[in-house]
Structure formats: structure tokens, C-alpha cells
Amino acid sequence: MGRNIEITRELSFLDHLEELRWHLIRATLAVVIAGSLAFLAKGFIFDVLLFGPSHVDFFTYEILCRVSTAFGFEGGFCFEGQMPFSIQSRTMGGQFSAHLWTSVTAGFIIAFPYIIYEFWKFVSPAMHGHEKKSARGVILISSLLFFLGVLFGYYVVSPLSINFLGRYQVSGQVLNEFDIDSYIGLIRSSVLASGLIFELPIVIYFLSKIGLVTPKSLKKYRKFALVGVLILSAIITPPDILSQILVAIPVLVLYEISILISGFVLRKERTE
């Protein structure tokens, strides 16, 4: 009897692994398909999107110029002429490699809602009926938050970093000639990091559901979270106060929203 139970459990575990494998295969296939479409749209992705922040007429710079002037940081984000740097490819396969990996990144971003859908399909059978009902909009909300983070990373974090690092010189004798992998890597990391950071409310929602965090604990460690946000802002942005403030404010707002979400989950659990 015990042997049969053990075999049944082993088969059940293997069945779950097989199911997970197919979810991962379908999610990967979605990334490949979306990435293939992005690969064909090379002109738009590179000339318009990726190289957009390398031009002085990128509209974010005009906004940042006005904001910096209003706060008394004149000249920090305002400039005329061309960007004081150039983008080069120093290896034989540099441009093709950049094209390939950029397409993979774009494929992941485009297919993100479907990836979340596959993840949800895998975990939802283990949830109770009322839990499924209360988390009904998780795919839509998590996708919206991710895309908002991607836009924030592209229109705020990337221009701040490119503006500062593109201008920075230790000596007038050293020219800023960036390799294409370095330039695209900066934008890629800024966009993906921001997209994942904006998923904080969703993470807090599920952590609250399983009882790992509460509104009380989130409020208790708010000061530490503030320090962590400032450190994170200092890492992903140039070392100037205005840039760090522009990045820190949305993250702090997300943290406060997460506290409200955790409180909602707790009240919901008490009434059920």
C-alpha cells in the first residue's frame, strides 16, 4: 500500500514537471516568434527606438531641460548641436550580435503578457476558487505595470544615463566613442530593470496572500525601503540629485501602493 502511494506521488511530481516544461516551451516559443518579428523590424527598432536617445531632439531632453532649469540646475540637461559621443562597432560580428540580442530582448518585452499567462496557467490549479476570483486581473495588471516600467526606463532612466555618461570626460584628450554593445546594453538594462521594479505591487500581493508580508511590516521597514530606493536610484542613474529624485519618486509611490494592496489582501482574508 505504501509503495503504491509513493509511486503515485512520484508520478504526480513528474506530471507537474512535464506540465511546467510545456508551459516553458510555449512561453519560449512566444518570445522566439515576437523576437523574429522584431528582427525584421530592424530599421524601426534601431534607428527610431534605440538610437532615439542619442539625438539631441529626443523630446525627453527638452522636458528634462525645462525641469532642471526650474530647479536651478541650468545647463545640466540643456545642450545644443550634437551629442558629444559616437557609437561604433569594433568587432566583426558586433552589429549582428547586437541585432540578434536586441531582437531577443524585444521579443521578451512583447511576449511578456503571454509569459505571465503561461505562469498563471501553471499555478492557478493549485489555488482555491475564491483565490482565483480575487486574482482575476493579475495578468492585465502585471502586464500594464511592466509596460509602464519599460516606458519609464526608456524615457527617463536611459536618457538620464546617456546624457550624463555621453558628456562625461576625465580629459578633453579622451573622446567618447562607445561600442554598440555598451550603448544598447545600457538601454536594455535600464528598460528591463525598470519593468521588473514596477512589478513590485504584484509581488507584494502574492507575498501578502501567503502571509510573508503585512501592511504593518511594510510600514515598519518603510525607512529601510527609502534608503534602499535611494541606493537603487544611485546605481541605475547618474550621480546627480535631480536624476535620483526623478527615479526614486515612482518607486516610492509603488511601495506605498504595495502597502495599500497588502492591507486590501489582509482585509479580504479576514472576511472570507
Side-chain angles (χ1 to χ4, degrees), residues 130-146:
H130 67 278
E131 292 176 332
K132 291 182 182 179
K133 186 177 180 180
S134 62
R136 185 169 293 170
V138 66
I139 298 175
L140 176 62
I141 296 174
S142 61
S143 298
L144 289 176
L145 287 173
F146 179 76

Side-chain angles (χ1 to χ4, degrees), residues 84 164-176:
F164 176 79
L165 297 175
R167 285 177 160 191
Y168 189 82
Q169 285 182 296
V170 294
S171 171
Q173 300 181 43
V174 182
L175 301 178
N176 282 333

Side-chain angles (χ1 to χ4, degrees), residues 207-241:
L207 291 180
S208 300
K209 291 288 289 184
I210 61 179
L212 288 181
V213 298
T214 63
K216 184 177 180 180
S217 64
L218 291 173
K219 292 177 181 178
K220 179 180 178 181
Y221 294 106
R222 181 188 276 125
K223 294 180 180 179
F224 298 100
L226 175 60
V227 175
V229 168
L230 293 176
I231 293 175
L232 178 64
S233 301
I235 292 174
I236 66 176
T237 61
D240 63 87
I241 297 176

Side-chain angles (χ1 to χ4, degrees), residues 76-91:
F77 297 99
C78 305
F79 47 84
E80 298 178 357
Q82 295 182 343
M83 283 287 194
F85 66 86
S86 62
I87 303 172
Q88 301 183 9
S89 178
R90 301 176 186 273
T91 60

Side-chain angles (χ1 to χ4, degrees), residues 8-245:
T8 302
R9 289 177 177 175
E10 183 178 353
L11 290 175
S12 178
F13 177 72
L14 293 177
D15 289 341
H16 283 303
L17 284 181
E18 178 67 13
E19 185 179 355
L20 175 61
R21 185 173 75 92
W22 280 107
H23 284 297
L24 292 176
I25 289 175
R26 286 191 291 267
T28 302
L29 184 61
V31 173
V32 170
I33 294 174
S36 299
L37 296 176
F39 189 87
L40 298 176
K42 177 180 65 174
F44 174 75
I45 289 180
F46 281 87
D47 294 335
V48 177
L49 293 181
L50 289 178
F51 293 142
S54 68
H55 302 303
V56 295
D57 59 353
F58 192 64
F59 86 96
T60 301
Y61 294 133
E62 182 179 349
I63 297 175
L64 291 176
C65 178
R66 294 177 181 177
V67 172
S68 62
T69 302
F71 280 90
F73 296 96
E74 297 185 10
F77 297 99
C78 305
F79 47 84
E80 298 178 357
Q82 295 182 343
M83 283 287 194
F85 66 86
S86 62
I87 303 172
Q88 301 183 9
S89 178
R90 301 176 186 273
T91 60
M92 288 292 292
Q95 295 196 52
F96 178 76
S97 177
H99 187 191
L100 182 63
W101 287 108
T102 298
S103 300
V104 172
T105 303
F108 174 80
I109 293 173
I110 295 170
F112 185 81
Y114 185 77
I115 295 173
I116 293 297
Y117 170 76
E118 287 294 339
F119 174 76
W120 175 253
K121 291 289 288 182
F122 177 70
V123 301
S124 59
M127 303 178 70
H128 299 293
H130 67 278
E131 292 176 332
K132 291 182 182 179
K133 186 177 180 180
S134 62
R136 185 169 293 170
V138 66
I139 298 175
L140 176 62
I141 296 174
S142 61
S143 298
L144 289 176
L145 287 173
F146 179 76
F147 289 134
L148 283 175
V150 167
L151 292 175
F152 181 76
Y154 178 73
Y155 285 107
V156 178
V157 180
S158 293
L160 288 175
S161 302
I162 292 171
N163 178 66
F164 176 79
L165 297 175
R167 285 177 160 191
Y168 189 82
Q169 285 182 296
V170 294
S171 171
Q173 300 181 43
V174 182
L175 301 178
N176 282 333
E177 299 176 343
F178 304 132
D179 189 78
I180 187 173
D181 287 336
S182 176
Y183 174 83
I184 294 177
L186 184 147
I187 297 180
R188 180 171 58 239
S189 60
S190 299
V191 165
L192 291 179
S194 298
L196 295 177
I197 288 173
F198 270 58
E199 292 294 305
L200 178 62
I202 298 297
V203 174
I204 294 298
Y205 174 83
F206 283 105
L207 291 180
S208 300
K209 291 288 289 184
I210 61 179
L212 288 181
V213 298
T214 63
K216 184 177 180 180
S217 64
L218 291 173
K219 292 177 181 178
K220 179 180 178 181
Y221 294 106
R222 181 188 276 125
K223 294 180 180 179
F224 298 100
L226 175 60
V227 175
V229 168
L230 293 176
I231 293 175
L232 178 64
S233 301
I235 292 174
I236 66 176
T237 61
D240 63 87
I241 297 176
L242 181 59
S243 299
Q244 294 178 14
I245 291 175

